[in-house]
Amino acid sequence: MSTANNNSTKAFLGVDVGSGSSRAALISDSGKLLAIHSTPFSTSRPAPDYFEQSSDEIWASICTSVKAVLQLAKVNPSQVQGVGFDATCSLVAYTAGTPETAQPVSISPSSNFEDHNRNIIMWCDHRAKEQAIRITETRHDILKNIGGVMSLEMELPKTLWLQDNMAKEQWNRIGRLFDLPDFLTWKATGDYLPSRCSVICKWCYKAGPESGDSPSHHNNQGWPEDFLRQIGLGEIADYDCQKLCGVGNEGQRVHFAGEHIGGLTVQSAQELGLVAGTPVGGAVIDAYAGAIGTLGARMNGISPTVDEARKRISLICGTSSCHLVMSIWGPFHGVMLPDMWVAEGGQSSTGQLIDYLTTSHPAYNEAVERARASTPAVSVYELLNQHLETVAKKRSLNNIAYLTKRLHMTPDHHGNRAPFADETMRGSISGLDLNSNTLDGLAILYLATIQALALGTRQILDALCAAGYTIETICISGGLSLNRIFVKVLADVTQFPVVLPGSGGDAAVVVGAAVCGAVAYKSSLAGAGSSMDGLLWEAMAHLTEASDVIEADQDPVLKRFYENKFRIVVKMQKDQREFNTIMEE
């Protein structure tokens, strides 16, 4: 995709590594999206709940996307003033060394840890169940930041799993374990410069406000060595935690989103098709890039204040979903804006769940054929959206929502990330009949899935509001923001307006990374050690805008309908726990 052709434009580059592809986007210094390009990469699934990838393949896909986006935008590499990276919170294993000398280390037991092309445990990999339970059972104070329960999707359970399952010589070969965003900045700059976003949110690193040199300040910073020893990673603590992202507790710091951390090395610049020395910003997790690309968006040409943005929640809907809200208090400090805290919720499977239930349905092939035969051709999901309207009209219903009056679902097929943090929960469906295998049945099941996901988001919003957060608006991004039925159902279920990003929902995440590239450029001009206060927010407010607002339907009948469905979802989840208890007797 290309939207501009201007060789005099000053440009900022964003790189976004999702679950199955690497995207690169260029934006102008006014925020205009110049071009975007995506390159897929593979995932290996050697066993149930195992998801493995290759950092070499991912880096190669990034290089392909960056070179392609430069050509599409007709932008000279010298015009690129800053680079920002985001990625999924997947675990990367490497030997110690520089990007030129270090080597990937296998994390794959199916190859007896000998296939070093598979050196990434994906975020959605659930192999570390036992380790997550053991960590939770310590009841360490730091777990309060994540609701008291260690998610098996975080990095410490996966690290502990590797230590538990690798032979000693294999484990010792690992010199560095990265969150994927920090691997990318290391690969680009040659330095171990992890971001606050990664290490605080996914590694339990302690980092409160940077309040000076007082003893209390230093006691609240760095790796919690007592915690690492308590969970069985004492050997890492013995060596100043250097195995974790290459940063220890002795005189090192972690970096803010977009903060200038160095320039592209000669080798990385050559591989990317860019200029050596181009400023690189502190990386962020992909969901946080989506928040950066949406929470500061101008509406009708007016930028929100930071206080107004605190009443917005960012919802990034792709393979999974993440909900992010800023405040003056919370569990994670400085992981987005330097002086703000962030609370996080999420759903482990959203787009993935829709894909799974749709593609495994008996009528899926019929839907694909009809979508291709349409004039013009449409996606299978737009075909289903249209078919829902046809079925509702045929049944004399004034809203497609009522098609699921007897069909209810809990969307926890891959566990519940929030608000319960319970990996053992599973999805359930109530109301199937002998007509469920038809195209009508597929469309209605698809709608029930969307409604279940929206009801799950309502559960998360309710929990945040009960904890003291004020939420008035949802800012959505990610692939599902392009699905008009998904967005409308979300608004109607939550009774909040849903703001669509001006860059296009699917581009908002990589645009957020490009915003970090703009911050890297500006902070590089300010010089090392300069304050980051205001830089990211100014860039967010200047470079992003909204395209539309989808309002919630105020029809009292529809509101009561969704309220009843919400009550049913809550009861189904409670019943499932009771069923599990019965089966344990």
Side-chain angles (χ1 to χ4, degrees), residues 135-201:
I135 294 173
T136 297
E137 289 175 347
T138 66
R139 298 183 179 179
H140 192 280
D141 279 349
I142 202 166
L143 295 176
K144 293 177 182 178
N145 287 351
I146 52 175
V149 178
M150 174 58 71
S151 168
L152 77 174
E153 293 180 358
M154 293 181 71
E155 306 298 24
L156 287 178
K158 293 172 182 174
T159 299
L160 190 55
W161 184 93
L162 290 173
Q163 180 181 266
D164 289 348
N165 287 274
M166 300 177 88
K168 188 66 174 178
E169 61 272 17
Q170 294 170 326
W171 169 248
N172 288 341
R173 191 166 186 269
I174 297 177
R176 298 290 182 264
L177 290 165
F178 299 94
D179 203 41
L180 182 53
D182 294 329
F183 165 79
L184 299 179
T185 55
W186 170 72
K187 188 79 171 173
T189 67
D191 290 323
Y192 296 111
L193 299 165
S195 72
R196 292 172 69 94
C197 184
S198 292
V199 296
I200 294 174
C201 297

Side-chain angles (χ1 to χ4, degrees), residues 50 109 169 188 193 209 245 264 318 334 347 365 367 402 519 531 540 571:
Y50 281 61
E169 61 272 17
L193 299 165
C245 312
L264 293 176
Q347 293 167 294
N365 289 335
Y402 303 133
V519 174
S531 172
M540 289 166 62
K571 190 173 190 309

Side-chain angles (χ1 to χ4, degrees), residues 102-409:
Q103 297 295 320
V105 178
S106 176
I107 48 74
S108 181
S110 64
S111 70
N112 194 29
F113 300 103
E114 294 178 357
D115 182 358
H116 299 298
N117 285 321
R118 286 187 276 171
N119 70 314
I120 296 178
I121 302 178
M122 272 189 78
W123 63 269
C124 56
D125 186 291
H126 281 191
R127 70 182 70 185
K129 297 176 185 178
E130 178 189 339
Q131 288 74 19
I133 292 170
R134 281 159 46 194
I135 294 173
T136 297
E137 289 175 347
T138 66
R139 298 183 179 179
H140 192 280
D141 279 349
I142 202 166
L143 295 176
K144 293 177 182 178
N145 287 351
I146 52 175
V149 178
M150 174 58 71
S151 168
L152 77 174
E153 293 180 358
M154 293 181 71
E155 306 298 24
L156 287 178
K158 293 172 182 174
T159 299
L160 190 55
W161 184 93
L162 290 173
Q163 180 181 266
D164 289 348
N165 287 274
M166 300 177 88
K168 188 66 174 178
E169 61 272 17
Q170 294 170 326
W171 169 248
N172 288 341
R173 191 166 186 269
I174 297 177
R176 298 290 182 264
L177 290 165
F178 299 94
D179 203 41
L180 182 53
D182 294 329
F183 165 79
L184 299 179
T185 55
W186 170 72
K187 188 79 171 173
T189 67
D191 290 323
Y192 296 111
L193 299 165
S195 72
R196 292 172 69 94
C197 184
S198 292
V199 296
I200 294 174
C201 297
K202 300 303 174 186
W203 286 96
C204 291
Y205 187 92
K206 297 190 297 182
E210 295 195 329
S211 55
D213 295 323
S214 68
S216 62
H217 165 71
H218 288 294
N219 289 339
N220 194 38
Q221 306 293 312
W223 296 108
E225 294 187 7
D226 64 321
F227 176 57
L228 294 178
R229 297 183 193 283
Q230 192 172 352
I231 67 175
L233 293 175
E235 180 183 292
I236 289 178
D238 289 342
Y239 292 93
D240 192 31
C241 306
Q242 289 289 331
K243 194 168 231 173
L244 307 182
C245 312
V247 61
N249 282 334
E250 298 299 324
Q252 293 173 288
R253 64 183 290 269
V254 291
H255 295 78
F256 294 110
E259 181 179 359
H260 178 231
I261 59 174
L264 293 176
T265 64
V266 172
Q267 177 166 320
S268 67
Q270 181 179 10
E271 292 170 349
L272 293 164
L274 296 171
V275 176
T278 301
V280 175
V284 291
I285 298 165
D286 53 352
Y288 286 77
I292 289 169
T294 56
L295 287 179
R298 301 184 303 277
M299 296 176 63
N300 299 318
I302 301 173
S303 298
T305 65
V306 174
D307 284 342
E308 289 169 338
R310 284 168 45 198
K311 298 176 183 178
R312 297 178 170 187
I313 188 166
S314 171
L315 173 55
I316 301 88
C317 300
T319 304
S320 63
S321 288
C322 189
H323 309 68
L324 301 172
V325 60
M326 298 189 299
S327 184
I328 57 173
W329 63 279
F332 304 137
H333 182 268
V335 295
M336 192 158 43
L337 297 185
D339 56 350
M340 298 290 285
W341 301 76
V342 173
E344 180 178 327
Q347 293 167 294
S348 293
S349 182
T350 49
Q352 181 186 55
L353 180 61
I354 294 172
D355 288 345
Y356 169 74
L357 291 175
T358 303
T359 58
S360 61
H361 193 277
Y364 176 70
N365 289 335
E366 179 185 351
V368 170
E369 291 172 6
R370 289 200 185 192
R372 289 174 180 168
S374 299
T375 306
V378 296
S379 72
V380 69
Y381 295 116
E382 180 55 28
L383 182 282
L384 293 175
N385 290 343
Q386 295 172 8
H387 194 70
L388 285 168
E389 293 164 352
T390 300
V391 177
K393 184 176 181 180
K394 184 170 59 177
R395 299 186 184 184
S396 300
L397 299 173
N398 64 4
N399 193 308
I400 64 170
Y402 303 133
L403 290 168
T404 64
K405 184 176 181 179
R406 304 293 182 191
L407 185 63
H408 311 289
M409 182 188 301

Side-chain angles (χ1 to χ4, degrees), residues 287-299 304 309 312-316 474-478 499-505 508-509 511-512 515 537 540 544-546:
Y288 286 77
I292 289 169
T294 56
L295 287 179
R298 301 184 303 277
M299 296 176 63
R312 297 178 170 187
I313 188 166
S314 171
L315 173 55
I316 301 88
I474 297 172
C475 295
I476 192 171
S477 61
V499 178
L500 300 176
S503 58
V509 175
V511 166
V515 170
W537 176 252
M540 289 166 62
T544 64
E545 63 180 348

